[in-house]
Amino acid sequence: MSPETQQLLSALGDRLGAGGVLAGSDVDQRYRDDPDGRLGALAEAVLRPRDTDGVAAALAACNAFRQPVVIQGGRTGLAGGARVQPGEIVLSLERMTGLAAPDRQAATIVVEAGATLQAVQEAADGAGLMFGVDIGARGSATVGGNIATNAGGIRVLRYGMYRAQVLGLETVLADGSVLTSLKGLPKDNSGYDLGQLFIGAEGTLGVVTRAAIKLHPKPASEVNAFCALPSLDAAIALLARLRQKLGPLLSAYEVNFAPLYDIMVASMAMPAPLPPGSPVYVLAEIQGSEPERDGERFAEVLMQAVEDGVVDDVVVSQSPREFRALWDVREDANRVLFSMKGLIGVDISIPLARMATFLQEADAAIHAVDPGADIYVFGHLGDGNLHYQVLTVDPAAAYGIIYRGVAAAGGGVSAEHGIGLDKKQWLHLVRSDAEIATMRRLKAALDPNNILNPGRVFDLNPLA
Amino acid sequence: MSPETQQLLSALGDRLGAGGVLAGSDVDQRYRDDPDGRLGALAEAVLRPRDTDGVAAALAACNAFRQPVVIQGGRTGLAGGARVQPGEIVLSLERMTGLAAPDRQAATIVVEAGATLQAVQEAADGAGLMFGVDIGARGSATVGGNIATNAGGIRVLRYGMYRAQVLGLETVLADGSVLTSLKGLPKDNSGYDLGQLFIGAEGTLGVVTRAAIKLHPKPASEVNAFCALPSLDAAIALLARLRQKLGPLLSAYEVNFAPLYDIMVASMAMPAPLPPGSPVYVLAEIQGSEPERDGERFAEVLMQAVEDGVVDDVVVSQSPREFRALWDVREDANRVLFSMKGLIGVDISIPLARMATFLQEADAAIHAVDPGADIYVFGHLGDGNLHYQVLTVDPAAAYGIIYRGVAAAGGGVSAEHGIGLDKKQWLHLVRSDAEIATMRRLKAALDPNNILNPGRVFDLNPLA
């Protein structure tokens, strides 16, 4: 450890109090965790402020020392944004997990950045409300990380991305300035909405410390259905039909392409809801306010779709237990995929009108390089967001084929996971030089010493 | 006209072609229009590019000459943002009014910034879709101005502000850089979402030239109801009840406080839907997908509210004609208010929990200064947004009372109109020094010569 780092940590040790600074052998291996299994460096130190003032003090000191900082929430990110790079120290929000009592009338809650998504969901539920975002990592992913990556998940088509849930933020800039905007007003155009800058900026422009979050009335009914369909075109037609007939009741529309479901069924602990063998499976969900009627209405629309040949087979949940069981089938894809060694995966966004062509062309191109490649695709079809996995002897070729195909189709190289370190090389495929130059201007304006999550999303000085 | 200005206009005259540059006596009085009647300066020149390249050329030249530019769309803004200041030339988007065909499957449309809101509404309607924003100035307000002010209107509680409608923007920076992000993807985290910067920035950071806009399925049913209520508390209770019982069907919730309705009824051309004399009137609207059922369900919930003593009296629209007539009553407030000379008005946001106290205290304080003052309040109660008008001999005192009261109540000094020139002096009441300093950093980073809408929202160099 350099004398400068020692001096910095000593000053911050006093400021952040007991447990506020970990250094040397106190730095736990968990700060290296990465869900992709790509371990980061062991940081020389971890800063663990208890409040916003502590974050401000930590950043002001790091900025004065030009000390690079990597910001960590739940370390569940899938693009390497929180993976420690050599020379970085960790700023962890893990001691800032407070939640205020929800405001029932306004349907809002103010939470600290280190609170988990699940804690917010449970606080909302306890107040008779609902939080509109859900993702698989809910138990460990934090609100701060969710905001920094503008997290999505399974109900974006009804409630929007995380951006749509944020009514205000408190953020600390690299120089320790604190921007507090936590009024939680649904409508406010009193000057720039600065919070928007930090949503999806992956911690490169500031550190989110608190958020005013929008909640929704708790739905009185939740029903889902699992459908087998003859094609992607049929799945897209069913989506349009459900939107038309059910309006805003539709709350999730998830897809699973062959052969992923077949493989899941072969090793599933539970009975399969529908037999394998169809090209496409969809999980659709509604949330409504009329329990005595919503499920019946949903089933009617689906049965009509079967009669009209859009859907081959369907099962509609008849109880909360069945509702949960169908979601478990959807989440079972992760069990199967995580068990495959060497699998590569991407998180892409494709316009629905071009999705079938993209899938055919990518499949053909990947198999031209590696005839034995296996491709597993699932995702959030209602949002045009696919999670596309390949088991191949030539991962580099597959990445190139997929990302260039996405760019050609007018899509995005990261629908909901962000760019982080791992997708940086592909950003130029989907963003222009002028756009990336503008990102650099913003970064230089707000973090001129480049101390916050340096090198994530883009390099500030690409030629340096 | 200075030789530099002549040189600039001459260069741009060639570049922008016929009708691209107006100067001297060709500059029409309409470029001074202001809905508040506060005429701007007569500009020395008006630039009227036909396309994004023309906007880029115009700004690059103005930037090189350090020529201040005021950006004009429909000139319907209510905060003076487009009002010409001495020395400014006008950049008008009036020749960029194109609309692409809506994409029915994706429910999106790409439009040029000079298209009117009404043109977008009509294009959506023609494709069996609906645009989620509506405001009174729909026929002349433009998409670019709407985006620059993050316009709101009557259906924010269902569809959100303009920000929620924007899937992507094309924007020209002060130096002529063009940022094009018009893919219209519902989910994309491939680098910073730069478009967010320009929404609500009132033209100070860049000029929006095109937008990819989100549309919605056209509702199969629209029903509204006009209610008389005993108090604001009752109106807030009815809002909660409608949200609970009708879920996302609720699409507007407008309020009108005594004595405004009484005065409207006294001079109304149409028959009043309910007798005057109640303290509070509400117009509630639902949009649904079951015409045979939605109106009945809405009426049931309202009748129950009457039985429970929440509502004193209610009339529910039974036909499209009655539906339109109730909206006309709501919009009739403008007729009455615009006819009052010397009225001052503000557009404020207040948390519902503090609204009753704010109204009582403001009323008492204004009448303490001017016992003869008349106060007229209406607005978008579902969003906590009130339009508050005062007829008083001491407007300065009234402004101070209202804005300080808003700040003390945790509200915003501009809910949907923006800050522009006219509310700049109040911004510091609701935004911290650190926030305003950050706005300045962004402005300096993107428009270092301060040529774009200078002095709107805040002064870049307050001490200069």
Side-chain angles (χ1 to χ4, degrees), chain B residues 11 108 133 137-138 168 256 320 386 436 444 446 457:
Chain B
T108 59
V133 172
R138 64 185 76 80
N256 191 318
L386 298 181
I436 296 173
L446 295 187
V457 189

Side-chain angles (χ1 to χ4, degrees), chain A residues 225-297:
Chain A
F226 201 77
C227 310
L229 298 110
S231 66
L232 173 59
D233 281 351
I236 292 173
L238 178 62
L239 172 63
R241 187 184 278 241
L242 293 174
R243 282 196 161 128
Q244 185 61 40
K245 301 281 186 193
L246 300 173
L249 287 188
L250 187 67
S251 50
Y253 196 78
E254 302 283 304
V255 71
N256 190 317
F257 290 89
L260 178 56
Y261 182 67
D262 302 7
I263 290 180
M264 285 160 57
V265 169
S267 64
M268 222 178 252
M270 58 200 122
L274 291 177
S278 286
V280 180
Y281 293 85
V282 157
L283 174 66
E285 179 195 74
I286 60 162
Q287 294 183 327
S289 54
E290 293 187 286
E292 68 289 356
R293 187 157 183 283
D294 294 327
E296 192 185 315
R297 204 174 145 203

Side-chain angles (χ1 to χ4, degrees), chain B residues 212-298:
Chain B
I213 298 280
K214 180 179 184 173
L215 303 174
H216 296 271
K218 196 189 293 190
S221 68
E222 290 189 314
V223 185
N224 58 8
F226 202 77
C227 309
L229 297 110
S231 65
L232 173 59
D233 282 352
I236 292 174
L238 178 62
L239 173 63
R241 188 184 277 241
L242 293 175
R243 281 197 160 126
Q244 184 64 40
K245 302 282 185 193
L246 301 172
L249 287 188
L250 187 67
S251 49
Y253 195 78
E254 302 284 303
V255 71
N256 191 318
F257 290 89
L260 178 55
Y261 183 66
D262 302 6
I263 291 181
M264 286 160 57
V265 169
S267 63
M268 221 178 252
M270 58 201 122
L274 291 178
S278 286
V280 181
Y281 294 85
V282 157
L283 173 65
E285 179 197 74
I286 61 163
Q287 293 184 328
S289 53
E290 294 186 284
E292 69 288 357
R293 189 158 181 284
D294 294 327
E296 192 184 317
R297 204 175 145 203
F298 187 37

Side-chain angles (χ1 to χ4, degrees), chain B residues 50 54 165 265 276 325 375 447:
Chain B
R50 280 197 180 281
Q165 325 305 322
V265 169
I375 297 176
D447 179 17

